[in-house]
Amino acid sequence: MTRAQALAVYNSLLDKYGLQYWWPGETRFEVMVGAVLTQNTAWINVERAIARLKQADCLSPEAILARQPARLAELIRSAGYFNVKARRLQQFCAWYQAAGEYRRFRYWSTARLRAALLMVNGVGPETADDILLYAFDRPVFVIDAYTRRVFGRLGMIAGDEPYEVIRAQFEQALGADVALFKEYHALIVVHGKDVCRSKPRCGQCSLASRCPTAQGNDPCDMHVEGRAHSA
DNA sequence: ACCCAGGGTCATA
DNA sequence: TATGACCATGGG
């Protein structure tokens, strides 16, 4: 995609929804925790989990590492996958603490920091990029399910390309612009929740995952999303 | 009752 | 490289 196309969509979304001021969170560390907790999970349930962590005075690397896994899991219960995420949070904190915490990363290149994050078990490409962009202010464009869906339906990408392919397209079209990347990703998510909430559906029966012919699905365009499929 | 959410890992082919 | 099973709560 060209820079003009990418900016045209951004301006359209900005015009419709306004600035979002992402990522929600009081500290950089809270952003990192939120990035892990929000994996395949509605944000409202992450907020509850973070509130409980704060309430238990358990929102620091030391406190998270000091707590027994099962006891950490009960604090983040509302975020789902609590056993898995408790382990992931502790693994992330162990790495973060061993690496020397935030100020130590100041002179790391973005590429080096990204590679290090991806080495942590439980941190995949999107979680790493959330942390890089919103906690470390690095110019990395976050690709998530909404990005694939929205731009797929606009016909600007296929939607099922590998993560790195799509990320490179956005970064090459837009250049390195942290403030723009932050707002753009936020707007994509907000717009996705607004009009592209359902996953692509089979054009025949309106079923999603369980439809036998779902592979040849004909996802509705973002402008007609919400209209019922005929049976 | 089904679908979905601001994914990632691991085993398997 | 690419699927599939698995993780699990809470809201629509």
Side-chain angles (χ1 to χ4, degrees):
Chain A
M1 77 182 83
T2 66
R3 174 175 175 81
Q5 289 174 323
L7 286 180
V9 174
Y10 173 76
N11 286 321
S12 168
L13 294 176
L14 180 60
D15 188 55
K16 182 171 181 183
Y17 301 103
L19 291 170
Q20 302 299 313
Y21 304 103
W22 269 27
W23 183 292
E26 296 178 4
T27 66
R28 297 182 189 277
F29 184 71
E30 183 179 330
V31 171
M32 302 178 206
V33 169
V36 171
L37 292 181
T38 198
Q39 290 170 359
N40 202 40
T41 298
W43 180 252
I44 181 66
N45 293 327
V46 177
E47 287 185 315
R48 296 182 177 119
I50 290 178
R52 292 201 60 184
L53 287 171
K54 286 181 179 173
Q55 191 176 5
D57 196 23
C58 191
L59 193 49
S60 69
E62 301 76 36
I64 287 174
L65 286 168
R67 207 169 174 96
Q68 291 180 4
R71 303 248 308 140
L72 179 58
E74 65 185 57
L75 287 181
I76 61 171
R77 177 181 177 279
S78 68
Y81 308 134
F82 45 77
N83 290 315
V84 173
K85 286 175 178 175
R87 198 177 342 118
R88 288 179 181 177
L89 277 182
Q90 292 191 317
Q91 289 171 134
F92 174 79
C93 288
W95 167 79
Y96 188 61
Q97 205 174 53
E101 306 203 355
Y102 183 76
R103 52 215 295 91
R104 292 283 294 177
F105 296 109
R106 204 174 300 182
Y107 300 105
W108 288 34
S109 72
T110 297
R112 179 185 175 193
L113 185 49
R114 189 169 197 272
L117 283 166
L118 290 173
M119 290 289 293
V120 179
N121 185 286
V123 177
E126 186 187 334
T127 305
D129 291 346
D130 281 335
I131 293 172
L132 284 165
L133 179 61
Y134 293 106
F136 289 98
D137 297 305
R138 303 300 179 110
V140 171
F141 201 92
V142 178
I143 307 303
D144 69 343
Y146 284 127
T147 312
R148 293 174 181 275
R149 210 178 294 166
V150 170
F151 287 85
R153 290 176 195 190
L154 285 172
M156 294 171 68
I157 62 173
D160 59 351
E161 299 95 331
Y163 186 97
E164 294 302 327
V165 172
I166 302 179
R167 185 168 76 92
Q169 285 188 44
F170 278 94
E171 292 183 6
Q172 285 167 24
L174 293 170
D177 189 331
V178 171
L180 174 66
F181 287 6
K182 285 182 177 180
E183 283 304 317
Y184 207 155
H185 175 63
L187 286 167
I188 289 166
V189 173
V190 170
H191 176 66
K193 291 185 191 195
D194 188 16
V195 303
C196 289
R197 191 143 55 80
S198 63
K199 290 181 174 176
R201 307 244 163 195
C202 167
Q204 303 302 313
C205 66
S206 82
L207 290 178
S209 57
R210 305 179 67 162
C211 173
T213 64
Q215 50 189 355
N217 61 36
D218 177 27
C220 34
D221 183 90
M222 60 186 283
H223 297 299
V224 298
E225 178 68 35
R227 187 187 60 181
H229 290 276
S230 51

